[in-house]
C-alpha cells in the first residue's frame, strides 16, 4: 500500500524534513504547499499583476495558493497539519477543516499550549502528535503494523 501524505501548515521550521527523513524506507509520497514564504505571499501579483492595496495583493496570492492546496489535500490519503508555536497559522486551520470535510485522515501536529485554542481542530483529527517523529511512527504503523522500537 502506498500512502500519499500532504504536509500543511507552519513553514518556519524543518518539521517536514524531519517527517520525511523518519519515514525513510516507507512507501510514502509527500507533497506540501509552497514553503518559500515570499513566493507564497507574492505568487498572485507576480503572475496576475500588481495591486495597490495589500488586501487584494494577499487575496490574489491566497487564491493562487488555494489551487495547489485543494489539489494536494484532495489527492492525499493523509493530511498532516502543523501548528507552530511562534506564528498564527490561520491557513492551517482552514486546511485541517478542508481535510476533515473531505473525509481525509487528519493528523494534527501541535504543542500542548495550543490544546485549548485548537480543541475543535483536534476533535476532527484522528491523531494529535507532539513531535514530527510521532507522525512518522503513525505512517509506519499504518503501512506495516509495526510499533516504534
Amino acid at each position: 500500500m502506498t500512502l500519499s501524505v500532504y504536509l500543511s501548515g507552519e513553514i518556519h521550521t524543518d518539521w517536514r524534513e524531519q517527517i520525511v527523513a523518519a519515514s525513510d524506507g516507507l512507501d510514502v509520497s509527500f507533497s506540501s504547499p509552497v514553503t518559500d514564504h515570499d513566493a507564497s505571499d507574492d505568487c498572485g501579483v507576480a503572475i496576475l499583476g500588481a495591486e495597490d492595496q495589500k488586501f487584494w495583493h494577499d487575496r490574489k496570492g491566497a487564491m493562487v495558493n488555494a489551487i495547489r492546496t485543494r489539489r494536494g489535500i484532495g489527492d492525499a490519503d493523509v493530511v498532516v497539519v502543523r501548528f507552530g508555536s511562534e506564528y498564527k497559522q490561520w491557513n492551517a486551520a482552514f486546511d485541517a477543516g478542508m481535510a476533515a470535510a473531505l473525509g481525509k485522515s487528519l493528523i494534527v501536529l501541535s504543542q500542548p499550549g495550543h490544546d485549548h485554542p485548537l480543541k475543535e481542530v483536534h476533535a476532527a483529527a484522528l491523531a494529535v502528535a507532539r513531535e514530527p517523529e510521532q507522525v512518522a511512527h503513525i505512517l509506519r504503523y499504518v503501512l506495516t503494523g509495526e510499533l516504534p522500537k
Side-chain angles (χ1 to χ4, degrees), residues 30 43 64 70 80 83-84 92 95 107 112 126-127 131 138 141 147:
F30 292 98
C43 65
V64 171
R70 288 180 185 184
V80 179
F83 291 87
D95 292 354
I107 301 170
L126 296 179
E131 301 296 331
I138 291 169
Y141 178 77
L147 293 174

Side-chain angles (χ1 to χ4, degrees), residues 5 7 9 23 28-29 50 63 79-81 98 112 122 143-144 149:
V5 179
L7 302 172
S23 300
V28 179
S29 65
M63 300 308 285
V79 176
V80 179
V81 180
M98 183 187 325
H122 286 172
L143 287 168
T144 69
K149 302 203 186 323

Side-chain angles (χ1 to χ4, degrees), residues 21-88:
S23 300
D24 188 45
L26 295 178
D27 194 6
V28 179
S29 65
F30 292 98
S31 61
S32 69
V34 172
T35 57
D36 176 319
H37 197 145
D38 291 335
S40 177
D41 283 352
D42 297 337
C43 65
V45 295
I47 297 167
L48 301 172
E51 290 292 341
D52 293 334
Q53 296 178 14
K54 183 70 170 146
F55 175 86
W56 296 111
H57 174 112
D58 288 347
R59 182 167 171 84
K60 276 186 177 178
M63 300 308 285
V64 171
N65 282 315
I67 296 167
R68 181 182 176 103
T69 301
R70 288 180 185 184
R71 180 172 185 262
I73 291 174
D75 290 348
D77 299 308
V78 176
V79 176
V80 179
V81 180
R82 160 90 169 147
F83 291 87
S85 59
E86 212 174 312
Y87 301 92
K88 292 179 176 61

Side-chain angles (χ1 to χ4, degrees), residues 5-9 15 19 78-82 105-109 135 139:
V5 179
Y6 187 77
L7 302 172
S8 176
W15 68 274
I19 291 172
V78 176
V79 176
V80 179
V81 180
R82 160 90 169 147
S105 295
L106 175 63
I107 301 170
V108 171
L109 181 56
V135 174
L139 299 176

